[in-house]
PDB file of all heavy atoms in Angstrom:
ATOM      1  N   ALA G 732      -0.064   9.047   1.582  1.00 98.00           N
ATOM      2  CA  ALA G 732       0.740  10.224   1.899  1.00 98.00           C
ATOM      3  C   ALA G 732       0.090  11.035   3.011  1.00 98.00           C
ATOM      4  O   ALA G 732      -1.121  10.954   3.245  1.00 98.00           O
ATOM      5  CB  ALA G 732       0.918  11.096   0.657  1.00 98.00           C
ATOM      6  N   ASN G 733       0.924  11.819   3.693  1.00 98.00           N
ATOM      7  CA  ASN G 733       0.417  12.830   4.619  1.00 98.00           C
ATOM      8  C   ASN G 733       1.362  14.024   4.597  1.00 98.00           C
ATOM      9  O   ASN G 733       2.318  14.055   3.817  1.00 98.00           O
ATOM     10  CB  ASN G 733       0.219  12.258   6.032  1.00 98.00           C
ATOM     11  CG  ASN G 733       1.507  11.879   6.740  1.00 98.00           C
ATOM     12  OD1 ASN G 733       2.607  12.257   6.320  1.00 98.00           O
ATOM     13  ND2 ASN G 733       1.392  11.130   7.821  1.00 98.00           N
ATOM     14  N   ASN G 753      -7.136   8.774   5.179  1.00 98.00           N
ATOM     15  CA  ASN G 753      -7.428  10.034   4.498  1.00 98.00           C
ATOM     16  C   ASN G 753      -7.091  11.213   5.403  1.00 98.00           C
ATOM     17  O   ASN G 753      -7.320  11.177   6.612  1.00 98.00           O
ATOM     18  CB  ASN G 753      -8.891  10.094   4.080  1.00 98.00           C
ATOM     19  CG  ASN G 753      -9.204   9.157   2.929  1.00 98.00           C
ATOM     20  OD1 ASN G 753      -8.369   8.336   2.540  1.00 98.00           O
ATOM     21  ND2 ASN G 753     -10.401   9.262   2.378  1.00 98.00           N
ATOM     22  N   ILE G 756      -4.154  16.161   2.784  1.00 98.00           N
ATOM     23  CA  ILE G 756      -3.535  16.158   1.452  1.00 98.00           C
ATOM     24  C   ILE G 756      -3.757  14.847   0.699  1.00 98.00           C
ATOM     25  O   ILE G 756      -3.387  14.746  -0.472  1.00 98.00           O
ATOM     26  CB  ILE G 756      -2.022  16.457   1.525  1.00 98.00           C
ATOM     27  CG1 ILE G 756      -1.252  15.281   2.140  1.00 98.00           C
ATOM     28  CG2 ILE G 756      -1.744  17.744   2.274  1.00 98.00           C
ATOM     29  CD1 ILE G 756       0.249  15.370   1.874  1.00 98.00           C
ATOM     30  N   LYS G 768       3.544  31.237  -5.105  1.00 98.00           N
ATOM     31  CA  LYS G 768       4.824  31.319  -5.801  1.00 98.00           C
ATOM     32  C   LYS G 768       5.908  31.699  -4.784  1.00 98.00           C
ATOM     33  O   LYS G 768       5.652  32.411  -3.824  1.00 98.00           O
ATOM     34  CB  LYS G 768       4.738  32.360  -6.926  1.00 98.00           C
ATOM     35  CG  LYS G 768       3.651  32.043  -7.952  1.00 98.00           C
ATOM     36  CD  LYS G 768       3.465  33.182  -8.952  1.00 98.00           C
ATOM     37  CE  LYS G 768       2.260  32.903  -9.832  1.00 98.00           C
ATOM     38  NZ  LYS G 768       2.042  33.963 -10.852  1.00 98.00           N
ATOM     39  N   PHE G 774       5.327  16.880   0.940  1.00 98.00           N
ATOM     40  CA  PHE G 774       4.484  15.763   1.365  1.00 98.00           C
ATOM     41  C   PHE G 774       5.378  14.610   1.785  1.00 98.00           C
ATOM     42  O   PHE G 774       6.551  14.533   1.412  1.00 98.00           O
ATOM     43  CB  PHE G 774       3.494  15.332   0.268  1.00 98.00           C
ATOM     44  CG  PHE G 774       4.116  14.812  -0.995  1.00 98.00           C
ATOM     45  CD1 PHE G 774       4.490  13.472  -1.134  1.00 98.00           C
ATOM     46  CD2 PHE G 774       4.307  15.659  -2.085  1.00 98.00           C
ATOM     47  CE1 PHE G 774       5.046  12.999  -2.318  1.00 98.00           C
ATOM     48  CE2 PHE G 774       4.861  15.194  -3.264  1.00 98.00           C
ATOM     49  CZ  PHE G 774       5.223  13.854  -3.379  1.00 98.00           C
ATOM     50  N   ASP G 782       4.603  -8.314   3.171  1.00 94.00           N
ATOM     51  CA  ASP G 782       5.490  -9.466   3.004  1.00 94.00           C
ATOM     52  C   ASP G 782       6.948  -9.100   2.779  1.00 94.00           C
ATOM     53  O   ASP G 782       7.792  -9.980   2.648  1.00 94.00           O
ATOM     54  CB  ASP G 782       5.005 -10.319   1.826  1.00 94.00           C
ATOM     55  CG  ASP G 782       3.573 -10.795   2.009  1.00 94.00           C
ATOM     56  OD1 ASP G 782       3.242 -11.200   3.134  1.00 94.00           O
ATOM     57  OD2 ASP G 782       2.792 -10.737   1.048  1.00 94.00           O
ATOM     58  N   ALA G 784       9.582  -6.079   0.614  1.00 96.00           N
ATOM     59  CA  ALA G 784       9.836  -5.710  -0.781  1.00 96.00           C
ATOM     60  C   ALA G 784      11.266  -5.198  -0.895  1.00 96.00           C
ATOM     61  O   ALA G 784      11.807  -4.619   0.045  1.00 96.00           O
ATOM     62  CB  ALA G 784       8.847  -4.647  -1.247  1.00 96.00           C
ATOM     63  N   ILE G 787      13.405  -1.227  -4.362  1.00 98.00           N
ATOM     64  CA  ILE G 787      12.380  -0.210  -4.597  1.00 98.00           C
ATOM     65  C   ILE G 787      13.054   1.098  -5.009  1.00 98.00           C
ATOM     66  O   ILE G 787      14.078   1.490  -4.445  1.00 98.00           O
ATOM     67  CB  ILE G 787      11.542   0.024  -3.336  1.00 98.00           C
ATOM     68  CG1 ILE G 787      10.861  -1.276  -2.906  1.00 98.00           C
ATOM     69  CG2 ILE G 787      10.507   1.122  -3.555  1.00 98.00           C
ATOM     70  CD1 ILE G 787      10.210  -1.180  -1.551  1.00 98.00           C
ATOM     71  N   SER G 810      27.957  14.197  -5.315  1.00 88.00           N
ATOM     72  CA  SER G 810      29.000  14.956  -4.617  1.00 88.00           C
ATOM     73  C   SER G 810      28.334  15.982  -3.705  1.00 88.00           C
ATOM     74  O   SER G 810      27.173  16.348  -3.901  1.00 88.00           O
ATOM     75  CB  SER G 810      29.906  15.668  -5.612  1.00 88.00           C
ATOM     76  OG  SER G 810      29.200  16.700  -6.281  1.00 88.00           O
ATOM     77  N   GLY G 813      27.140  18.877  -5.630  1.00 88.00           N
ATOM     78  CA  GLY G 813      25.968  18.597  -6.448  1.00 88.00           C
ATOM     79  C   GLY G 813      24.692  18.526  -5.639  1.00 88.00           C
ATOM     80  O   GLY G 813      23.661  19.082  -6.027  1.00 88.00           O
ATOM     81  N   SER G 839      12.703  18.542  29.788  1.00 79.00           N
ATOM     82  CA  SER G 839      11.467  19.041  29.189  1.00 79.00           C
ATOM     83  C   SER G 839      10.210  18.567  29.902  1.00 79.00           C
ATOM     84  O   SER G 839       9.209  19.272  29.935  1.00 79.00           O
ATOM     85  CB  SER G 839      11.399  18.616  27.719  1.00 79.00           C
ATOM     86  OG  SER G 839      12.483  19.152  26.988  1.00 79.00           O
ATOM     87  N   ILE G 848       2.991  16.027  27.601  1.00 89.00           N
ATOM     88  CA  ILE G 848       3.723  14.988  26.868  1.00 89.00           C
ATOM     89  C   ILE G 848       2.926  14.614  25.625  1.00 89.00           C
ATOM     90  O   ILE G 848       1.689  14.567  25.667  1.00 89.00           O
ATOM     91  CB  ILE G 848       3.936  13.755  27.777  1.00 89.00           C
ATOM     92  CG1 ILE G 848       4.875  14.145  28.933  1.00 89.00           C
ATOM     93  CG2 ILE G 848       4.484  12.570  27.003  1.00 89.00           C
ATOM     94  CD1 ILE G 848       5.033  13.087  29.989  1.00 89.00           C
ATOM     95  N   ARG G 851       0.982  10.095  22.305  1.00 93.00           N
ATOM     96  CA  ARG G 851       1.384   8.708  22.072  1.00 93.00           C
ATOM     97  C   ARG G 851       2.444   8.227  23.063  1.00 93.00           C
ATOM     98  O   ARG G 851       2.872   7.072  23.006  1.00 93.00           O
ATOM     99  CB  ARG G 851       1.852   8.554  20.628  1.00 93.00           C
ATOM    100  CG  ARG G 851       0.708   8.724  19.644  1.00 93.00           C
ATOM    101  CD  ARG G 851       1.150   8.788  18.214  1.00 93.00           C
ATOM    102  NE  ARG G 851       1.763   7.550  17.762  1.00 93.00           N
ATOM    103  CZ  ARG G 851       2.083   7.313  16.501  1.00 93.00           C
ATOM    104  NH1 ARG G 851       1.826   8.205  15.572  1.00 93.00           N
ATOM    105  NH2 ARG G 851       2.653   6.176  16.161  1.00 93.00           N
ATOM    106  N   ASN G 862       8.136   1.381  29.861  1.00 95.00           N
ATOM    107  CA  ASN G 862       7.574   0.337  29.006  1.00 95.00           C
ATOM    108  C   ASN G 862       6.049   0.331  28.988  1.00 95.00           C
ATOM    109  O   ASN G 862       5.442  -0.331  28.140  1.00 95.00           O
ATOM    110  CB  ASN G 862       8.079  -1.038  29.437  1.00 95.00           C
ATOM    111  CG  ASN G 862       9.540  -1.248  29.094  1.00 95.00           C
ATOM    112  OD1 ASN G 862      10.092  -0.558  28.246  1.00 95.00           O
ATOM    113  ND2 ASN G 862      10.170  -2.193  29.775  1.00 95.00           N
ATOM    114  N   ASP G 866       4.000   4.249  22.977  1.00 96.00           N
ATOM    115  CA  ASP G 866       4.978   4.229  21.888  1.00 96.00           C
ATOM    116  C   ASP G 866       6.419   4.062  22.378  1.00 96.00           C
ATOM    117  O   ASP G 866       7.361   4.474  21.694  1.00 96.00           O
ATOM    118  CB  ASP G 866       4.859   5.508  21.047  1.00 96.00           C
ATOM    119  CG  ASP G 866       3.874   5.334  19.900  1.00 96.00           C
ATOM    120  OD1 ASP G 866       3.137   4.336  19.899  1.00 96.00           O
ATOM    121  OD2 ASP G 866       3.842   6.194  19.009  1.00 96.00           O
ATOM    122  N   PHE G 870      10.292   3.269  16.548  1.00 98.00           N
ATOM    123  CA  PHE G 870      11.165   3.959  15.607  1.00 98.00           C
ATOM    124  C   PHE G 870      10.369   5.028  14.865  1.00 98.00           C
ATOM    125  O   PHE G 870       9.432   4.725  14.121  1.00 98.00           O
ATOM    126  CB  PHE G 870      11.771   2.962  14.622  1.00 98.00           C
ATOM    127  CG  PHE G 870      12.815   2.064  15.227  1.00 98.00           C
ATOM    128  CD1 PHE G 870      12.447   0.945  15.960  1.00 98.00           C
ATOM    129  CD2 PHE G 870      14.167   2.351  15.076  1.00 98.00           C
ATOM    130  CE1 PHE G 870      13.400   0.112  16.521  1.00 98.00           C
ATOM    131  CE2 PHE G 870      15.138   1.525  15.639  1.00 98.00           C
ATOM    132  CZ  PHE G 870      14.756   0.399  16.369  1.00 98.00           C
ATOM    133  N   GLU G 873      12.738  10.470  11.070  1.00 96.00           N
ATOM    134  CA  GLU G 873      13.433  11.664  11.568  1.00 96.00           C
ATOM    135  C   GLU G 873      14.521  12.164  10.616  1.00 96.00           C
ATOM    136  O   GLU G 873      14.597  13.358  10.350  1.00 96.00           O
ATOM    137  CB  GLU G 873      14.050  11.348  12.943  1.00 96.00           C
ATOM    138  CG  GLU G 873      14.813  12.493  13.566  1.00 96.00           C
ATOM    139  CD  GLU G 873      13.934  13.705  13.846  1.00 96.00           C
ATOM    140  OE1 GLU G 873      12.721  13.527  14.047  1.00 96.00           O
ATOM    141  OE2 GLU G 873      14.471  14.828  13.848  1.00 96.00           O
ATOM    142  N   VAL G 876      17.645  11.848   4.190  1.00 96.00           N
ATOM    143  CA  VAL G 876      18.852  11.646   3.378  1.00 96.00           C
ATOM    144  C   VAL G 876      18.498  11.895   1.913  1.00 96.00           C
ATOM    145  O   VAL G 876      17.513  11.328   1.421  1.00 96.00           O
ATOM    146  CB  VAL G 876      19.371  10.195   3.548  1.00 96.00           C
ATOM    147  CG1 VAL G 876      20.578   9.947   2.669  1.00 96.00           C
ATOM    148  CG2 VAL G 876      19.680   9.906   5.003  1.00 96.00           C
ATOM    149  N   PRO G 877      19.237  12.728   1.187  1.00 95.00           N
ATOM    150  CA  PRO G 877      18.934  12.911  -0.232  1.00 95.00           C
ATOM    151  C   PRO G 877      18.798  11.567  -0.946  1.00 95.00           C
ATOM    152  O   PRO G 877      19.638  10.676  -0.776  1.00 95.00           O
ATOM    153  CB  PRO G 877      20.142  13.709  -0.747  1.00 95.00           C
ATOM    154  CG  PRO G 877      20.621  14.474   0.455  1.00 95.00           C
ATOM    155  CD  PRO G 877      20.397  13.531   1.616  1.00 95.00           C
ATOM    156  N   ALA G 896       9.179  14.607   0.078  1.00 98.00           N
ATOM    157  CA  ALA G 896       9.305  15.412  -1.138  1.00 98.00           C
ATOM    158  C   ALA G 896       9.156  16.892  -0.816  1.00 98.00           C
ATOM    159  O   ALA G 896       8.210  17.287  -0.120  1.00 98.00           O
ATOM    160  CB  ALA G 896       8.256  14.997  -2.162  1.00 98.00           C
ATOM    161  N   TYR G 899       9.600  23.322  -4.687  1.00 98.00           N
ATOM    162  CA  TYR G 899       9.710  24.781  -4.705  1.00 98.00           C
ATOM    163  C   TYR G 899       8.912  25.315  -5.885  1.00 98.00           C
ATOM    164  O   TYR G 899       9.057  24.831  -7.019  1.00 98.00           O
ATOM    165  CB  TYR G 899      11.168  25.219  -4.816  1.00 98.00           C
ATOM    166  CG  TYR G 899      11.310  26.710  -5.057  1.00 98.00           C
ATOM    167  CD1 TYR G 899      10.964  27.627  -4.063  1.00 98.00           C
ATOM    168  CD2 TYR G 899      11.752  27.203  -6.283  1.00 98.00           C
ATOM    169  CE1 TYR G 899      11.070  28.991  -4.275  1.00 98.00           C
ATOM    170  CE2 TYR G 899      11.870  28.572  -6.501  1.00 98.00           C
ATOM    171  CZ  TYR G 899      11.522  29.470  -5.496  1.00 98.00           C
ATOM    172  OH  TYR G 899      11.621  30.814  -5.719  1.00 98.00           O
ATOM    173  N   ILE G 915       6.629   4.549  -8.587  1.00 98.00           N
ATOM    174  CA  ILE G 915       7.294   3.598  -7.699  1.00 98.00           C
ATOM    175  C   ILE G 915       7.586   2.334  -8.490  1.00 98.00           C
ATOM    176  O   ILE G 915       6.702   1.794  -9.171  1.00 98.00           O
ATOM    177  CB  ILE G 915       6.413   3.275  -6.488  1.00 98.00           C
ATOM    178  CG1 ILE G 915       6.146   4.562  -5.695  1.00 98.00           C
ATOM    179  CG2 ILE G 915       7.072   2.238  -5.584  1.00 98.00           C
ATOM    180  CD1 ILE G 915       4.991   4.464  -4.747  1.00 98.00           C
ATOM    181  N   SER G 916       8.826   1.879  -8.429  1.00 97.00           N
ATOM    182  CA  SER G 916       9.214   0.670  -9.159  1.00 97.00           C
ATOM    183  C   SER G 916       9.865  -0.324  -8.213  1.00 97.00           C
ATOM    184  O   SER G 916      10.410   0.051  -7.170  1.00 97.00           O
ATOM    185  CB  SER G 916      10.169   1.008 -10.307  1.00 97.00           C
ATOM    186  OG  SER G 916      11.382   1.552  -9.810  1.00 97.00           O
ATOM    187  N   GLY G 919      13.233  -2.504 -11.106  1.00 94.00           N
ATOM    188  CA  GLY G 919      13.201  -1.903 -12.431  1.00 94.00           C
ATOM    189  C   GLY G 919      11.847  -1.902 -13.108  1.00 94.00           C
ATOM    190  O   GLY G 919      11.699  -1.342 -14.202  1.00 94.00           O
ATOM    191  N   LYS G 920      10.827  -2.477 -12.484  1.00 96.00           N
ATOM    192  CA  LYS G 920       9.496  -2.541 -13.077  1.00 96.00           C
ATOM    193  C   LYS G 920       8.555  -1.591 -12.341  1.00 96.00           C
ATOM    194  O   LYS G 920       8.416  -1.669 -11.126  1.00 96.00           O
ATOM    195  CB  LYS G 920       8.946  -3.967 -13.002  1.00 96.00           C
ATOM    196  CG  LYS G 920       7.560  -4.116 -13.618  1.00 96.00           C
ATOM    197  CD  LYS G 920       7.055  -5.557 -13.496  1.00 96.00           C
ATOM    198  CE  LYS G 920       5.660  -5.701 -14.089  1.00 96.00           C
ATOM    199  NZ  LYS G 920       5.161  -7.102 -13.963  1.00 96.00           N
ATOM    200  N   ASN G 921       7.916  -0.678 -13.093  1.00 96.00           N
ATOM    201  CA  ASN G 921       6.986   0.268 -12.479  1.00 96.00           C
ATOM    202  C   ASN G 921       5.770  -0.483 -11.933  1.00 96.00           C
ATOM    203  O   ASN G 921       5.110  -1.237 -12.657  1.00 96.00           O
ATOM    204  CB  ASN G 921       6.532   1.303 -13.492  1.00 96.00           C
ATOM    205  CG  ASN G 921       7.654   2.225 -13.918  1.00 96.00           C
ATOM    206  OD1 ASN G 921       8.724   2.251 -13.304  1.00 96.00           O
ATOM    207  ND2 ASN G 921       7.446   2.978 -14.976  1.00 96.00           N
TER     208      ASN G 921
END
Side-chain angles (χ1 to χ4, degrees):
N733 67 14
N753 288 9
I756 71 164
K768 301 173 187 181
F774 63 86
D782 302 318
I787 301 170
S810 68
S839 299
I848 294 173
R851 292 171 64 172
N862 288 341
D866 270 12
F870 288 81
E873 179 62 27
V876 177
Y899 171 68
I915 299 163
S916 63
K920 181 181 179 180
N921 292 348

